[in-house]
Amino acid sequence: MTRAYLDNAASTPIRDEVVKVITHTLKYSLGNPSSVQHSYGREARSILEESRICIAKNIKASPSEIIFTSGGTEANNLVLRSSVLDLGIRHIITSQLEHPSVLQTIIYLSVRYKISVDFISINEKGILDFNNMEEILKKNVYKKTLVSLMYANNEIGNLLEVDQVIFLCKKYNAYFHSDTIQVIGNIPINMEKLNFDFATASAHKFYGPKGIGFVFIRNNILKKIKPFITGGGQENGIRSGTENIHGIAGLSEALRLSCCNFASYIKKMQYLKSYCISELQKIIPNIIFNGLSSHPEKSIPSILNFLYPTKKDHLLYFHLDLMGVSVSKGSSCNSKKKRSHVIQSIITDRCLLNKTMPIRISFGIFNEKKDIDLLVKALQKIGK
């Protein structure tokens, strides 16, 4: 059966070049990077630090600001928990659109450590109200505050107006954490120009291996962070444990390859998205695109989210899968829920929600026009 994989926001296929790097590292790098007394350990250490340098170079950061983790969820947890425990954060500002690894961790911290939490108002397109954000910051100016907002939403693709957030954080002396998991490796990012205090990344979102990611922590903050995992003192003393050398090497190679080809990849993604929008409009009268996903200048090129009129409820995705089309209703971490918390946050019309199902299409560099054609044909069959 011909298949179309259109769930790249959940996980991307791994590149052949990355597989080669991982395989070579697994086969020939047998040393522990902390065992620098012999050549095997020093070789592993060299791979680790060269990878760190490569990653830092591609996001315009210092190598010492890169701390490796098991992925995006751990990276977000590290930032949020360390901010409360080590930086003395007593107030967190976020939105209802964040990833579960952010929202659930914030809820836990608010209960466990009596941290006050405010959610920025959003409209039906998922646009944040920055006047409301400033009101919240002003009201809590005497509390140590962390603002946690994702750069590109993983369900509706909205791009955050980061310059506005950075301006307000600086004005009110708040720390800024951005979940950049859909951004790093997919669009250019420059930490020299963006005044983020923390940012997070996961390799399997940009054609690298699963189970490896990193957190960016600004150097002036890094020295204040105590061990998140204790033991051997690896990763600047923050995350103990023998580093995943083959995963790190694969992450580094995946990021390097993406950064070398951003212009062509973004152009391709924009074409696929534009074509998909026009084809969907032909078969679905008055189609509703969620958030700003259909606005090319205000959303990430790889994500398109819309409401599909159907009575098949959650079986819609299985019907599409049987026809060879892989899509999702939103974040894979929310797959057990009937409705995405993001969609429920921006669509207040319950009647509309009951008559439709959200479909998230997320494009990747290996997708072609024929994948969209297969999706459209499958939707037409389901609609009959």
Side-chain angles (χ1 to χ4, degrees), residues 272-308:
L272 290 173
K273 189 175 189 176
S274 176
Y275 177 70
C276 190
I277 290 170
S278 65
E279 292 302 296
L280 289 172
Q281 287 172 332
K282 291 176 185 177
I283 66 167
I284 307 172
N286 303 314
I287 185 172
I288 298 173
F289 292 104
N290 293 317
L292 299 172
S293 64
S294 62
H295 297 259
E297 72 284 358
K298 295 179 180 180
S299 64
I300 196 165
S302 54
I303 293 177
L304 182 65
N305 195 308
F306 66 98
L307 294 180
Y308 183 72

Side-chain angles (χ1 to χ4, degrees), residues 142-365:
Y142 297 109
K143 292 181 182 178
K144 272 197 173 182
T145 297
L146 172 73
V147 175
S148 181
L149 298 168
M150 57 173 37
Y151 195 154
N153 189 273
N154 61 316
E155 295 196 25
I156 55 177
N158 288 20
L159 284 170
L160 181 68
E161 293 181 45
V162 288
D163 290 338
Q164 182 71 9
V165 176
I166 290 168
F167 169 78
L168 290 174
C169 286
K170 187 174 181 181
K171 181 177 179 180
Y172 292 96
N173 199 30
Y175 290 101
F176 179 34
H177 159 237
S178 188
D179 174 341
T180 51
I181 290 166
Q182 292 294 336
V183 171
I184 290 181
N186 288 301
I187 60 176
I189 190 167
N190 186 331
M191 292 304 178
E192 289 177 352
K193 294 181 179 180
L194 293 171
N195 197 21
F196 292 173
D197 294 302
F198 307 95
T200 49
S202 187
H204 74 108
K205 306 296 185 180
F206 49 90
Y207 315 97
K210 298 175 182 66
I212 186 68
F214 67 86
V215 56
F216 162 85
I217 304 178
R218 191 74 63 180
N219 264 329
N220 64 320
I221 298 171
L222 193 62
K223 59 187 177 183
K224 302 176 184 178
I225 304 297
K226 295 176 183 176
F228 183 65
I229 299 176
T230 54
Q234 289 90 345
E235 294 306 293
N236 231 325
I238 291 175
R239 186 186 188 272
S240 291
T242 303
E243 290 93 346
N244 176 0
I245 295 299
H246 59 279
I248 290 167
L251 185 160
S252 173
E253 179 68 359
L255 185 59
R256 184 189 71 79
L257 290 168
S258 289
C259 292
C260 287
N261 296 282
F262 270 144
S264 61
Y265 292 159
I266 292 172
K267 184 178 180 180
K268 179 179 184 179
M269 230 73 68
Q270 288 171 334
Y271 165 75
L272 290 173
K273 189 175 189 176
S274 176
Y275 177 70
C276 190
I277 290 170
S278 65
E279 292 302 296
L280 289 172
Q281 287 172 332
K282 291 176 185 177
I283 66 167
I284 307 172
N286 303 314
I287 185 172
I288 298 173
F289 292 104
N290 293 317
L292 299 172
S293 64
S294 62
H295 297 259
E297 72 284 358
K298 295 179 180 180
S299 64
I300 196 165
S302 54
I303 293 177
L304 182 65
N305 195 308
F306 66 98
L307 294 180
Y308 183 72
T310 180
K311 295 179 182 179
K312 291 184 170 60
D313 202 41
H314 62 281
L315 292 176
L316 168 66
Y317 312 106
F318 294 105
H319 283 297
L320 286 170
D321 188 46
L322 290 171
M323 295 180 192
V325 179
S326 301
V327 295
S328 71
K329 60 183 173 184
S331 171
S332 53
C333 291
N334 272 334
S335 60
K336 293 181 180 179
K337 296 181 179 180
K338 184 177 179 181
R339 292 285 189 275
S340 153
H341 72 280
V342 172
I343 299 302
Q344 291 188 86
S345 296
I346 62 175
I347 299 176
T348 56
D349 186 342
R350 299 297 113 178
C351 183
L352 178 62
L353 280 178
N354 290 333
K355 293 179 180 178
T356 61
M357 291 297 291
I359 295 179
R360 180 187 69 178
I361 305 167
S362 44
F363 313 101
I365 61 173

Side-chain angles (χ1 to χ4, degrees), residues 86-123:
D86 304 328
L87 300 180
I89 294 298
R90 303 304 302 164
H91 178 232
I92 298 176
I93 299 174
T94 189
S95 84
Q96 295 285 4
L97 306 179
E98 305 307 303
H99 188 271
S101 65
V102 170
L103 287 178
Q104 290 179 23
T105 305
I106 288 174
I107 291 169
Y108 167 79
L109 292 169
S110 70
V111 174
R112 177 67 177 82
Y113 299 103
K114 310 300 183 203
I115 306 300
S116 60
V117 179
D118 278 299
F119 293 92
I120 302 170
S121 300
I122 53 175
N123 67 12

